[in-house]
Amino acid sequence: MEFLKSFILGVKSTLAVHLFRAKVGHSLFWVSAGFLLLVAAVVVSVSFKNQWNYKTLKPRGQAGFNFKNSIEMIEACSMALGHNAGVSAVCSAVSGANSGLMIQSGFPVFTKNVVFSVLLGFLLPLWCLTFAVEGLGSEREGKTLFWLFSKPVPRSSIYVGKFLAILPWVIIWSLGGFFVLAVCAGDSGIFAFKLFWQPIALASITYASVFFFMGACLPRASLIALAYAFVVETLLGSMPGSLKQLSVAFYARCIMFQKSSDLGVVLEQGGGYGDFSQTMAICFMLGIALMFLVAGIFFFGKIELRGQR
Amino acid sequence: MGEIPVIQCRNLSRRFGSKTVLNNVSFEVYPGIIGLLGPNGAGKSTLIKLILGLDIPSSGGITLFGKTKVELGKIGFMPEAKAIIPSMKGFEFVAFAGELEGLKRKDALRRSHEILDCLSMGEARFRKLGEYSTGMIQKVKLAQALVHDPELLILDEPTAGLDPPARNQMLDYLSYFARQQGKSIVLSTHLLGDVQSVCDQVVVLNFGNCLASCSLETLVGNKENRYLIEIAGNQIDSISALGNLCIGTQDMGGFTKVFIQCESTAEINHIASQVLSAGGVIKKFIPLEGNLDDAFFALLDKQRMEKI
């Protein structure tokens, strides 16, 4: 009972103090903001050229022509074949279907190229580690950790309080960044944001737990977190086969795959994203977050304060 | 002294792998201001961590106020490092420390203002800590250690980086809290002058060993029949010739300061002739005045000589 009381006290005090005091001026923050601006600029330029569709892409398994060429060819064939009503009707139907596909293709093209690849594979881990690694890492560097440990509150409460304090920042920064990219992409992007904000928020929480653990318990945490983000999330996450299941992004993609499949849009066929149901993917992500939270609490309680004064 | 010791260490050791940071340290100190002295690497910070219960001894034990279980709520700790949250205002930081100590928000804020008033912080308390001078940061760090009205204050280098007036002011505060409010204070410092100014008791550590634990008076005060001889020439033979009369030495490069304790003033001539006959040249031979510097260095040199 005494422990619970001081645990709640520790969480409450740490959370209250640190909730509005995330360190936003450090170098990693500016790197994250820079990448957001860079990607947003690319998205704006693609939107400006009206390229969020299959116009410049080739249909699956078809070499040579892209969708736009196909429509032009069908129209040319229709003209060349003259006034045969049957042929003309078939050509019009195919051409119409292709045009319809092109108009509606903005969402899958944006999702595949921006959300699946750039956002989940690179930007999201970077944004999350920006705040999560700094959480207790800055306490360690600022030597406030030793001071905090001298207070009669359990170390676990400091860990949980700090984690809860950085969580809103991580989620707001992640969803805010996603929203900026979505707005830059226009209607397709906004549709994707409305459909996918929940898996992105869930992935942010999971990343926050992983990177917070690293910041609290490992030396040179920023470097290790960056290495993890690039090796596991960017490289392994985009590998074919089951290796990608090691990344957090995989489970977010599974949820997105299911959500878009429910609407009749199949994203990234053959990526293995259909093997996990939404519920399973959510459980996996929450499980990873919880596992790192518990591991963090355990190891943080064992930290030796050598060299700290 | 007949009272319960504030801190009692019994055969306290702390080893990190093959490195022994504290070696069989035993002492007991009583209410008052206690100076914890020692050069860098002496083991002071490790001892503080053990007292605060932030580390576990490899062997031996500590009791605080006669109890083996550390009650952190009874201790106020002021770390050596800056350890502040720059974006917080002074009074908020002190109140935050109070809340962590278990005070309710309202009480923590009230105590924060009381302590900051006591430390003459004035309107500065409403400014962010990132804008504070070193002297103000030291005051806020002292305030956060005092906010919950602890019985024991552990202060790690409280006067570090302060100019002489600020340092004197800090020492005055320490005296006030010890003498007027009855708090026991452990003052860990390199500055021997600070210890001599305010401390009642001294614990001297070096290379993890406790070289002395006694009242300041015992260490430096009773200098009857103690003398300082500065010897040049054949210093080694001269010191050997003095035998047990030598209670400490301090190598000064071209000469050695030798501290001697004799039975009576009648021995002085005999001692001088012993040194001269051993080939030493006496540069100075004066009665020793109460000076912590000399006593401290004598202790360190004595330990060095024993090792040789």
Side-chain angles (χ1 to χ4, degrees), chain A residues 110-150:
Chain A
F110 175 78
T111 304
K112 194 180 157 191
N113 292 294
V114 177
V115 182
F116 269 37
S117 304
V118 184
L119 183 64
L120 277 171
F122 173 66
L123 285 181
L124 197 65
L126 185 68
W127 291 344
C128 294
L129 78 84
T130 295
F131 290 102
V133 169
E134 283 292 314
L136 278 167
S138 60
E139 297 276 357
R140 192 201 290 265
E141 282 168 23
K143 307 276 171 83
T144 40
L145 208 53
F146 183 25
W147 173 74
L148 276 173
F149 283 179
S150 72

mmCIF file of all heavy atoms in Angstrom, chain A residues 110-150:
data_model
loop_
_atom_site.group_PDB
_atom_site.id
_atom_site.type_symbol
_atom_site.label_atom_id
_atom_site.label_comp_id
_atom_site.label_asym_id
_atom_site.label_seq_id
_atom_site.Cartn_x
_atom_site.Cartn_y
_atom_site.Cartn_z
ATOM 1 N N PHE A 110 -0.860 7.121 -53.010
ATOM 2 C CA PHE A 110 -0.335 7.903 -51.874
ATOM 3 C C PHE A 110 0.032 6.968 -50.717
ATOM 4 O O PHE A 110 1.100 7.089 -50.107
ATOM 5 C CB PHE A 110 -1.389 8.929 -51.421
ATOM 6 C CG PHE A 110 -0.995 9.683 -50.189
ATOM 7 C CD1 PHE A 110 -0.082 10.726 -50.249
ATOM 8 C CD2 PHE A 110 -1.532 9.347 -48.942
ATOM 9 C CE1 PHE A 110 0.284 11.417 -49.101
ATOM 10 C CE2 PHE A 110 -1.162 10.034 -47.801
ATOM 11 C CZ PHE A 110 -0.256 11.067 -47.874
ATOM 12 N N THR A 111 -0.880 6.024 -50.444
ATOM 13 C CA THR A 111 -0.643 5.112 -49.319
ATOM 14 C C THR A 111 0.621 4.298 -49.530
ATOM 15 O O THR A 111 1.468 4.175 -48.636
ATOM 16 C CB THR A 111 -1.844 4.167 -49.145
ATOM 17 O OG1 THR A 111 -3.009 4.956 -48.973
ATOM 18 C CG2 THR A 111 -1.672 3.256 -47.961
ATOM 19 N N LYS A 112 0.738 3.759 -50.763
ATOM 20 C CA LYS A 112 1.875 2.881 -51.031
ATOM 21 C C LYS A 112 3.191 3.657 -51.009
ATOM 22 O O LYS A 112 4.163 3.218 -50.399
ATOM 23 C CB LYS A 112 1.668 2.231 -52.404
ATOM 24 C CG LYS A 112 2.575 1.065 -52.659
ATOM 25 C CD LYS A 112 2.321 0.482 -54.021
ATOM 26 C CE LYS A 112 3.534 -0.271 -54.481
ATOM 27 N NZ LYS A 112 3.495 -0.649 -55.868
ATOM 28 N N ASN A 113 3.196 4.812 -51.655
ATOM 29 C CA ASN A 113 4.458 5.542 -51.813
ATOM 30 C C ASN A 113 4.823 6.415 -50.621
ATOM 31 O O ASN A 113 6.002 6.603 -50.340
ATOM 32 C CB ASN A 113 4.402 6.407 -53.074
ATOM 33 C CG ASN A 113 4.375 5.553 -54.323
ATOM 34 O OD1 ASN A 113 5.341 4.868 -54.626
ATOM 35 N ND2 ASN A 113 3.249 5.546 -55.016
ATOM 36 N N VAL A 114 3.825 6.963 -49.961
ATOM 37 C CA VAL A 114 4.145 7.871 -48.846
ATOM 38 C C VAL A 114 3.940 7.179 -47.488
ATOM 39 O O VAL A 114 4.856 7.134 -46.676
ATOM 40 C CB VAL A 114 3.301 9.170 -48.929
ATOM 41 C CG1 VAL A 114 3.579 10.074 -47.733
ATOM 42 C CG2 VAL A 114 3.625 9.901 -50.213
ATOM 43 N N VAL A 115 2.745 6.619 -47.273
ATOM 44 C CA VAL A 115 2.453 6.079 -45.935
ATOM 45 C C VAL A 115 3.258 4.810 -45.667
ATOM 46 O O VAL A 115 3.950 4.709 -44.651
ATOM 47 C CB VAL A 115 0.933 5.815 -45.775
ATOM 48 C CG1 VAL A 115 0.634 5.301 -44.375
ATOM 49 C CG2 VAL A 115 0.145 7.082 -46.043
ATOM 50 N N PHE A 116 3.174 3.833 -46.588
ATOM 51 C CA PHE A 116 3.871 2.556 -46.377
ATOM 52 C C PHE A 116 5.390 2.730 -46.403
ATOM 53 O O PHE A 116 6.100 2.189 -45.568
ATOM 54 C CB PHE A 116 3.446 1.553 -47.459
ATOM 55 C CG PHE A 116 2.261 0.710 -47.046
ATOM 56 C CD1 PHE A 116 1.232 1.239 -46.292
ATOM 57 C CD2 PHE A 116 2.173 -0.626 -47.428
ATOM 58 C CE1 PHE A 116 0.140 0.469 -45.921
ATOM 59 C CE2 PHE A 116 1.092 -1.411 -47.051
ATOM 60 C CZ PHE A 116 0.067 -0.867 -46.298
ATOM 61 N N SER A 117 5.889 3.458 -47.376
ATOM 62 C CA SER A 117 7.343 3.520 -47.564
ATOM 63 C C SER A 117 7.995 4.598 -46.708
ATOM 64 O O SER A 117 8.794 4.294 -45.823
ATOM 65 C CB SER A 117 7.679 3.793 -49.028
ATOM 66 O OG SER A 117 7.080 2.814 -49.834
ATOM 67 N N VAL A 118 7.655 5.851 -46.994
ATOM 68 C CA VAL A 118 8.399 6.948 -46.351
ATOM 69 C C VAL A 118 7.975 7.147 -44.894
ATOM 70 O O VAL A 118 8.833 7.234 -44.010
ATOM 71 C CB VAL A 118 8.194 8.266 -47.144
ATOM 72 C CG1 VAL A 118 9.042 9.377 -46.550
ATOM 73 C CG2 VAL A 118 8.541 8.056 -48.597
ATOM 74 N N LEU A 119 6.672 7.193 -44.653
ATOM 75 C CA LEU A 119 6.206 7.503 -43.293
ATOM 76 C C LEU A 119 6.525 6.368 -42.320
ATOM 77 O O LEU A 119 7.227 6.570 -41.320
ATOM 78 C CB LEU A 119 4.698 7.793 -43.312
ATOM 79 C CG LEU A 119 4.084 8.190 -41.974
ATOM 80 C CD1 LEU A 119 4.659 9.506 -41.473
ATOM 81 C CD2 LEU A 119 2.573 8.308 -42.061
ATOM 82 N N LEU A 120 6.025 5.161 -42.632
ATOM 83 C CA LEU A 120 6.229 4.047 -41.692
ATOM 84 C C LEU A 120 7.664 3.542 -41.701
ATOM 85 O O LEU A 120 8.180 3.080 -40.682
ATOM 86 C CB LEU A 120 5.264 2.913 -42.013
ATOM 87 C CG LEU A 120 3.867 3.067 -41.417
ATOM 88 C CD1 LEU A 120 2.939 1.996 -41.975
ATOM 89 C CD2 LEU A 120 3.902 2.982 -39.914
ATOM 90 N N GLY A 121 8.295 3.609 -42.865
ATOM 91 C CA GLY A 121 9.640 3.028 -42.977
ATOM 92 C C GLY A 121 10.732 3.947 -42.482
ATOM 93 O O GLY A 121 11.845 3.509 -42.224
ATOM 94 N N PHE A 122 10.437 5.229 -42.341
ATOM 95 C CA PHE A 122 11.533 6.144 -42.034
ATOM 96 C C PHE A 122 11.129 7.290 -41.104
ATOM 97 O O PHE A 122 11.700 7.471 -40.029
ATOM 98 C CB PHE A 122 12.089 6.686 -43.354
ATOM 99 C CG PHE A 122 13.104 7.767 -43.202
ATOM 100 C CD1 PHE A 122 14.341 7.507 -42.629
ATOM 101 C CD2 PHE A 122 12.823 9.060 -43.610
ATOM 102 C CE1 PHE A 122 15.277 8.515 -42.474
ATOM 103 C CE2 PHE A 122 13.755 10.073 -43.454
ATOM 104 C CZ PHE A 122 14.984 9.797 -42.897
ATOM 105 N N LEU A 123 10.105 8.056 -41.543
ATOM 106 C CA LEU A 123 9.780 9.275 -40.783
ATOM 107 C C LEU A 123 9.232 8.987 -39.386
ATOM 108 O O LEU A 123 9.666 9.605 -38.412
ATOM 109 C CB LEU A 123 8.758 10.121 -41.556
ATOM 110 C CG LEU A 123 9.290 10.888 -42.764
ATOM 111 C CD1 LEU A 123 8.168 11.685 -43.414
ATOM 112 C CD2 LEU A 123 10.408 11.832 -42.372
ATOM 113 N N LEU A 124 8.309 8.066 -39.291
ATOM 114 C CA LEU A 124 7.647 7.821 -38.000
ATOM 115 C C LEU A 124 8.638 7.374 -36.913
ATOM 116 O O LEU A 124 8.627 7.931 -35.807
ATOM 117 C CB LEU A 124 6.506 6.814 -38.166
ATOM 118 C CG LEU A 124 5.500 6.784 -37.031
ATOM 119 C CD1 LEU A 124 4.737 8.100 -36.930
ATOM 120 C CD2 LEU A 124 4.508 5.648 -37.202
ATOM 121 N N PRO A 125 9.519 6.362 -37.231
ATOM 122 C CA PRO A 125 10.500 6.004 -36.194
ATOM 123 C C PRO A 125 11.372 7.188 -35.799
ATOM 124 O O PRO A 125 11.661 7.384 -34.618
ATOM 125 C CB PRO A 125 11.351 4.909 -36.858
ATOM 126 C CG PRO A 125 10.574 4.435 -38.023
ATOM 127 C CD PRO A 125 9.624 5.520 -38.418
ATOM 128 N N LEU A 126 11.754 7.999 -36.779
ATOM 129 C CA LEU A 126 12.614 9.151 -36.491
ATOM 130 C C LEU A 126 11.886 10.160 -35.606
ATOM 131 O O LEU A 126 12.450 10.661 -34.624
ATOM 132 C CB LEU A 126 13.042 9.810 -37.811
ATOM 133 C CG LEU A 126 14.039 10.962 -37.695
ATOM 134 C CD1 LEU A 126 15.396 10.452 -37.224
ATOM 135 C CD2 LEU A 126 14.196 11.675 -39.023
ATOM 136 N N TRP A 127 10.646 10.449 -35.941
ATOM 137 C CA TRP A 127 9.868 11.404 -35.135
ATOM 138 C C TRP A 127 9.702 10.893 -33.712
ATOM 139 O O TRP A 127 9.808 11.664 -32.760
ATOM 140 C CB TRP A 127 8.475 11.618 -35.751
ATOM 141 C CG TRP A 127 8.497 12.356 -37.049
ATOM 142 C CD1 TRP A 127 9.531 13.093 -37.554
ATOM 143 C CD2 TRP A 127 7.446 12.430 -38.021
ATOM 144 N NE1 TRP A 127 9.180 13.612 -38.776
ATOM 145 C CE2 TRP A 127 7.917 13.231 -39.089
ATOM 146 C CE3 TRP A 127 6.166 11.898 -38.108
ATOM 147 C CZ2 TRP A 127 7.143 13.512 -40.210
ATOM 148 C CZ3 TRP A 127 5.394 12.190 -39.212
ATOM 149 C CH2 TRP A 127 5.881 12.982 -40.260
ATOM 150 N N CYS A 128 9.413 9.618 -33.576
ATOM 151 C CA CYS A 128 9.170 9.073 -32.233
ATOM 152 C C CYS A 128 10.440 9.081 -31.395
ATOM 153 O O CYS A 128 10.404 9.407 -30.204
ATOM 154 C CB CYS A 128 8.603 7.658 -32.318
ATOM 155 S SG CYS A 128 6.974 7.622 -33.052
ATOM 156 N N LEU A 129 11.554 8.716 -32.022
ATOM 157 C CA LEU A 129 12.789 8.657 -31.225
ATOM 158 C C LEU A 129 13.241 10.053 -30.803
ATOM 159 O O LEU A 129 13.934 10.224 -29.804
ATOM 160 C CB LEU A 129 13.886 7.857 -31.933
ATOM 161 C CG LEU A 129 14.711 8.429 -33.077
ATOM 162 C CD1 LEU A 129 15.878 9.247 -32.584
ATOM 163 C CD2 LEU A 129 15.242 7.278 -33.926
ATOM 164 N N THR A 130 12.828 11.059 -31.575
ATOM 165 C CA THR A 130 13.170 12.441 -31.243
ATOM 166 C C THR A 130 12.767 12.782 -29.809
ATOM 167 O O THR A 130 13.542 13.369 -29.060
ATOM 168 C CB THR A 130 12.430 13.393 -32.211
ATOM 169 O OG1 THR A 130 12.927 13.158 -33.511
ATOM 170 C CG2 THR A 130 12.627 14.843 -31.840
ATOM 171 N N PHE A 131 11.570 12.406 -29.421
ATOM 172 C CA PHE A 131 11.099 12.732 -28.074
ATOM 173 C C PHE A 131 11.392 11.608 -27.079
ATOM 174 O O PHE A 131 11.730 11.867 -25.932
ATOM 175 C CB PHE A 131 9.592 13.000 -28.091
ATOM 176 C CG PHE A 131 9.240 14.288 -28.784
ATOM 177 C CD1 PHE A 131 8.751 14.285 -30.071
ATOM 178 C CD2 PHE A 131 9.443 15.492 -28.143
ATOM 179 C CE1 PHE A 131 8.449 15.475 -30.710
ATOM 180 C CE2 PHE A 131 9.140 16.693 -28.776
ATOM 181 C CZ PHE A 131 8.640 16.679 -30.070
ATOM 182 N N ALA A 132 11.247 10.358 -27.549
ATOM 183 C CA ALA A 132 11.331 9.237 -26.605
ATOM 184 C C ALA A 132 12.743 9.044 -26.058
ATOM 185 O O ALA A 132 12.918 8.835 -24.855
ATOM 186 C CB ALA A 132 10.832 7.964 -27.278
ATOM 187 N N VAL A 133 13.754 9.122 -26.931
ATOM 188 C CA VAL A 133 15.127 8.898 -26.460
ATOM 189 C C VAL A 133 15.538 10.001 -25.493
ATOM 190 O O VAL A 133 16.220 9.775 -24.509
ATOM 191 C CB VAL A 133 16.100 8.825 -27.663
ATOM 192 C CG1 VAL A 133 17.536 8.862 -27.198
ATOM 193 C CG2 VAL A 133 15.844 7.567 -28.469
ATOM 194 N N GLU A 134 15.086 11.223 -25.783
ATOM 195 C CA GLU A 134 15.439 12.368 -24.936
ATOM 196 C C GLU A 134 14.779 12.290 -23.563
ATOM 197 O O GLU A 134 15.229 12.925 -22.621
ATOM 198 C CB GLU A 134 15.019 13.663 -25.633
ATOM 199 C CG GLU A 134 15.953 14.084 -26.744
ATOM 200 C CD GLU A 134 17.309 14.509 -26.238
ATOM 201 O OE1 GLU A 134 17.370 15.264 -25.270
ATOM 202 O OE2 GLU A 134 18.309 14.045 -26.803
ATOM 203 N N GLY A 135 13.661 11.544 -23.479
ATOM 204 C CA GLY A 135 12.866 11.497 -22.250
ATOM 205 C C GLY A 135 13.708 11.372 -20.996
ATOM 206 O O GLY A 135 13.798 12.310 -20.208
ATOM 207 N N LEU A 136 14.353 10.226 -20.821
ATOM 208 C CA LEU A 136 15.191 10.051 -19.637
ATOM 209 C C LEU A 136 16.664 10.241 -19.968
ATOM 210 O O LEU A 136 17.477 10.423 -19.077
ATOM 211 C CB LEU A 136 14.945 8.678 -19.020
ATOM 212 C CG LEU A 136 13.711 8.628 -18.112
ATOM 213 C CD1 LEU A 136 13.324 7.203 -17.788
ATOM 214 C CD2 LEU A 136 13.919 9.395 -16.829
ATOM 215 N N GLY A 137 16.986 10.176 -21.275
ATOM 216 C CA GLY A 137 18.372 10.397 -21.700
ATOM 217 C C GLY A 137 18.832 11.787 -21.281
ATOM 218 O O GLY A 137 19.958 11.981 -20.828
ATOM 219 N N SER A 138 17.926 12.781 -21.419
ATOM 220 C CA SER A 138 18.314 14.149 -21.063
ATOM 221 C C SER A 138 18.449 14.288 -19.540
ATOM 222 O O SER A 138 19.255 15.068 -19.056
ATOM 223 C CB SER A 138 17.290 15.147 -21.593
ATOM 224 O OG SER A 138 16.026 14.885 -21.042
ATOM 225 N N GLU A 139 17.670 13.499 -18.809
ATOM 226 C CA GLU A 139 17.786 13.518 -17.340
ATOM 227 C C GLU A 139 19.160 12.975 -16.937
ATOM 228 O O GLU A 139 19.799 13.473 -16.022
ATOM 229 C CB GLU A 139 16.714 12.628 -16.692
ATOM 230 C CG GLU A 139 15.303 13.049 -16.943
ATOM 231 C CD GLU A 139 14.819 14.125 -15.987
ATOM 232 O OE1 GLU A 139 15.565 14.503 -15.096
ATOM 233 O OE2 GLU A 139 13.680 14.590 -16.171
ATOM 234 N N ARG A 140 19.550 11.926 -17.674
ATOM 235 C CA ARG A 140 20.840 11.317 -17.367
ATOM 236 C C ARG A 140 21.964 12.317 -17.664
ATOM 237 O O ARG A 140 22.878 12.504 -16.872
ATOM 238 C CB ARG A 140 21.012 10.069 -18.230
ATOM 239 C CG ARG A 140 22.177 9.189 -17.809
ATOM 240 C CD ARG A 140 22.561 8.326 -18.977
ATOM 241 N NE ARG A 140 21.598 7.301 -19.296
ATOM 242 C CZ ARG A 140 21.665 6.055 -18.861
ATOM 243 N NH1 ARG A 140 22.638 5.703 -18.079
ATOM 244 N NH2 ARG A 140 20.781 5.179 -19.228
ATOM 245 N N GLU A 141 21.874 12.961 -18.833
ATOM 246 C CA GLU A 141 22.913 13.919 -19.216
ATOM 247 C C GLU A 141 22.872 15.168 -18.340
ATOM 248 O O GLU A 141 23.903 15.728 -18.006
ATOM 249 C CB GLU A 141 22.755 14.312 -20.685
ATOM 250 C CG GLU A 141 23.288 13.245 -21.618
ATOM 251 C CD GLU A 141 22.892 13.480 -23.051
ATOM 252 O OE1 GLU A 141 22.603 14.633 -23.408
ATOM 253 O OE2 GLU A 141 22.851 12.503 -23.820
ATOM 254 N N GLY A 142 21.658 15.608 -17.989
ATOM 255 C CA GLY A 142 21.525 16.800 -17.155
ATOM 256 C C GLY A 142 21.799 16.524 -15.689
ATOM 257 O O GLY A 142 21.690 17.408 -14.857
ATOM 258 N N LYS A 143 22.141 15.261 -15.369
ATOM 259 C CA LYS A 143 22.473 14.843 -14.001
ATOM 260 C C LYS A 143 21.295 15.010 -13.032
ATOM 261 O O LYS A 143 21.495 15.056 -11.826
ATOM 262 C CB LYS A 143 23.695 15.612 -13.466
ATOM 263 C CG LYS A 143 24.913 15.570 -14.360
ATOM 264 C CD LYS A 143 25.709 14.315 -14.131
ATOM 265 C CE LYS A 143 26.824 14.115 -15.138
ATOM 266 N NZ LYS A 143 28.033 14.814 -14.844
ATOM 267 N N THR A 144 20.064 15.150 -13.557
ATOM 268 C CA THR A 144 18.921 15.256 -12.653
ATOM 269 C C THR A 144 18.454 13.880 -12.194
ATOM 270 O O THR A 144 17.692 13.757 -11.251
ATOM 271 C CB THR A 144 17.735 15.984 -13.324
ATOM 272 O OG1 THR A 144 17.639 15.560 -14.657
ATOM 273 C CG2 THR A 144 17.892 17.478 -13.288
ATOM 274 N N LEU A 145 18.950 12.841 -12.894
ATOM 275 C CA LEU A 145 18.534 11.483 -12.555
ATOM 276 C C LEU A 145 18.964 11.108 -11.140
ATOM 277 O O LEU A 145 18.185 10.570 -10.352
ATOM 278 C CB LEU A 145 19.153 10.518 -13.570
ATOM 279 C CG LEU A 145 18.405 9.239 -13.853
ATOM 280 C CD1 LEU A 145 16.969 9.514 -14.226
ATOM 281 C CD2 LEU A 145 19.090 8.462 -14.963
ATOM 282 N N PHE A 146 20.222 11.423 -10.834
ATOM 283 C CA PHE A 146 20.778 11.140 -9.511
ATOM 284 C C PHE A 146 19.944 11.865 -8.449
ATOM 285 O O PHE A 146 19.594 11.297 -7.413
ATOM 286 C CB PHE A 146 22.233 11.600 -9.499
ATOM 287 C CG PHE A 146 22.986 11.314 -8.234
ATOM 288 C CD1 PHE A 146 22.611 10.286 -7.385
ATOM 289 C CD2 PHE A 146 24.094 12.063 -7.884
ATOM 290 C CE1 PHE A 146 23.307 10.020 -6.225
ATOM 291 C CE2 PHE A 146 24.800 11.816 -6.733
ATOM 292 C CZ PHE A 146 24.399 10.799 -5.902
ATOM 293 N N TRP A 147 19.596 13.108 -8.762
ATOM 294 C CA TRP A 147 18.793 13.913 -7.838
ATOM 295 C C TRP A 147 17.403 13.286 -7.657
ATOM 296 O O TRP A 147 16.918 13.153 -6.530
ATOM 297 C CB TRP A 147 18.692 15.344 -8.379
ATOM 298 C CG TRP A 147 17.770 16.213 -7.607
ATOM 299 C CD1 TRP A 147 18.005 16.751 -6.367
ATOM 300 C CD2 TRP A 147 16.458 16.638 -7.979
ATOM 301 N NE1 TRP A 147 16.919 17.482 -5.970
ATOM 302 C CE2 TRP A 147 15.952 17.441 -6.933
ATOM 303 C CE3 TRP A 147 15.662 16.440 -9.111
ATOM 304 C CZ2 TRP A 147 14.694 18.025 -6.979
ATOM 305 C CZ3 TRP A 147 14.409 17.033 -9.150
ATOM 306 C CH2 TRP A 147 13.934 17.810 -8.100
ATOM 307 N N LEU A 148 16.788 12.886 -8.771
ATOM 308 C CA LEU A 148 15.456 12.270 -8.697
ATOM 309 C C LEU A 148 15.489 10.984 -7.878
ATOM 310 O O LEU A 148 14.584 10.692 -7.101
ATOM 311 C CB LEU A 148 14.945 11.948 -10.104
ATOM 312 C CG LEU A 148 14.254 13.078 -10.868
ATOM 313 C CD1 LEU A 148 13.975 12.646 -12.295
ATOM 314 C CD2 LEU A 148 12.957 13.481 -10.195
ATOM 315 N N PHE A 149 16.569 10.212 -8.061
ATOM 316 C CA PHE A 149 16.693 8.946 -7.339
ATOM 317 C C PHE A 149 16.818 9.160 -5.831
ATOM 318 O O PHE A 149 16.568 8.250 -5.052
ATOM 319 C CB PHE A 149 17.903 8.151 -7.843
ATOM 320 C CG PHE A 149 17.672 7.467 -9.163
ATOM 321 C CD1 PHE A 149 18.669 6.721 -9.764
ATOM 322 C CD2 PHE A 149 16.461 7.564 -9.814
ATOM 323 C CE1 PHE A 149 18.459 6.094 -10.989
ATOM 324 C CE2 PHE A 149 16.238 6.951 -11.029
ATOM 325 C CZ PHE A 149 17.242 6.210 -11.617
ATOM 326 N N SER A 150 17.274 10.365 -5.451
ATOM 327 C CA SER A 150 17.444 10.610 -4.009
ATOM 328 C C SER A 150 16.109 10.941 -3.336
ATOM 329 O O SER A 150 16.054 11.146 -2.127
ATOM 330 C CB SER A 150 18.441 11.755 -3.779
ATOM 331 O OG SER A 150 17.864 12.997 -4.126
#
